[in-house]
Amino acid sequence: MARVVSAPRHYQLTRKVDLSPLRLVTVGSLAGVVLGLLGAFDPAGYLETNLGYVQTSRLLSAAPLGEHLLGADGETRAHGENAGWLWLRVLRQAAEGDYRGAEQTSSDIVRRDSGRRELALYSRGQSRMKQGNEEGAVVDWEQAGAVSPIMELAMRKAQVEQWQGAAALLERAIASSPGAALPHRELGWALHKGLAETDRAVGELELAIRLAPQDTHTYRLIARVLLDAGRYDEAKMWSENLLQRFPESAEANVVRGTVAYWVKEWDVAEFSLSAATTLAPNNSEAWFLLGQTYAQLQQHERAVRSFRTAISLDHGKDWYWSHLIALELKQGCRVCAVGDLEKAVELFPGNLEFSRLLLGLRD
C-alpha cells in the first residue's frame, strides 16, 4: 500500500447536511467549502513538513531566493545538483509561476532521490495540474498516495455537477488509500446526490462508519440518504445507533430528533432536540428543528420562541425567517409578521419572496 503524503490543505466535499424535510439539501451541500487555488504551492509549508533539516525558511520570507542560493540563470551556486538544492529550485519555480520548470525539476528529484520520491510526485502533480494536465496530475498523486488533491479535484467537479467525474476520482482516491474513511464518505454522498445510486451510497457510508465510527457526520449523511429513499426503519436504526454511541453529543441528538420528525414521532423528536439544545445551547440548527417540532405539536408560542432563538444565534439563514413568519401569519399576528418581514427584506435583499409578501401585507 502506498504511503500517504500529506497535502498542504485538506478539503471535504460535504458540509453539515440539514435533515429537515422543510429545508432540503441543495447541490451546494456537496461543496460547502470555499476553494483556494487548486494546487497552490505553500513553500513555507513544504519546508516545515518535508525539509525541516534545511534551515531556509528565513531565505524564503526575506529577499528573493535567487539572491541567496541560486544564480540568475536558475542554476545552483556551488552546491551541485543534489536533491536538497533541487527542492529549493522547485520552490522558486513554483513561486514564479514556472510550472513547466517545476515539473521538470520534480522529475529530476523522482529519478535521483528515492527517499523523497513520493513528495516529488506530489509536487509534480501540482505542477501538471497548473498546466492543465489533469490526468497526469492524478496519476502522480496516486503514485504518491496523496488523497487530498484528488478529493479536491473531485469537489470541483461536483460543484459543476460533473457527478460521474467526481465519483471516478473518489474511487481513485480510495484505491490510493483504502483505509481512509473520508473518501468512502464523500463517494457515498456523491453517489446519492448526483447519481441516485442509493444502494452503493449506503454501502460506502457504512464502510466509512466502520473505518471511522467516531465521525458523527457520516451517520447524518446515511440517515439522509435512507430518508430520501423512504427507508425509514433503517434511518431510525442508524440514528439510534449513533445516539447509543454518543448519548451526550448534540449532533447525535439532532440526527435522532430529525429522523423522528420525518417519521412523525413528535414526542421523540421533541425529547431529542430539546436534549440537543441543552447540550449545545448555541446550536441554531437544534433550536430551529425544535421550533418545527413544536409547530407540529401545535405549541405555537414555544415554536416562535425556538425560531427566534435560532435567528438570534444565526440570523443569516433565510429559511429560519421563513418559518417564523409563516407561523406568525398562521397565528393571525399580522403586525408581528410585517415587523419580521421588514428585517428579513433588509437582510436578504435578493429574496423576492420576502419582498412580495411584505408588499402584499402592506396593501
Side-chain angles (χ1 to χ4, degrees), residues 218-284:
T218 310
Y219 286 86
R220 176 184 285 259
L221 295 179
I222 198 169
R224 180 58 198 248
V225 171
L226 292 166
L227 288 172
D228 283 349
R231 293 159 61 172
Y232 299 137
D233 288 342
E234 292 174 75
K236 285 175 60 177
M237 181 271 291
W238 282 107
S239 68
E240 290 167 356
N241 183 289
L242 174 61
L243 192 58
Q244 288 172 1
R245 282 179 176 270
F246 307 103
E248 300 301 315
S249 164
E251 173 85 350
N253 278 280
V254 166
V255 173
R256 181 67 190 100
T258 49
V259 170
Y261 183 100
W262 274 66
V263 298
K264 301 182 180 180
E265 294 178 352
W266 311 122
D267 291 342
V268 175
E270 179 187 5
F271 180 84
S272 296
L273 293 168
S274 294
T277 61
T278 300
L279 291 165
N282 293 326
N283 186 323
S284 68

Side-chain angles (χ1 to χ4, degrees), residues 85-111:
W85 297 107
L86 287 174
W87 269 113
L88 297 177
R89 183 185 297 168
V90 170
L91 296 174
R92 194 190 75 164
Q93 289 168 326
E96 294 176 350
D98 179 11
Y99 300 113
R100 178 60 180 165
E103 177 187 351
Q104 292 173 341
T105 305
S106 296
S107 295
D108 287 343
I109 299 172
V110 171
R111 290 191 295 269

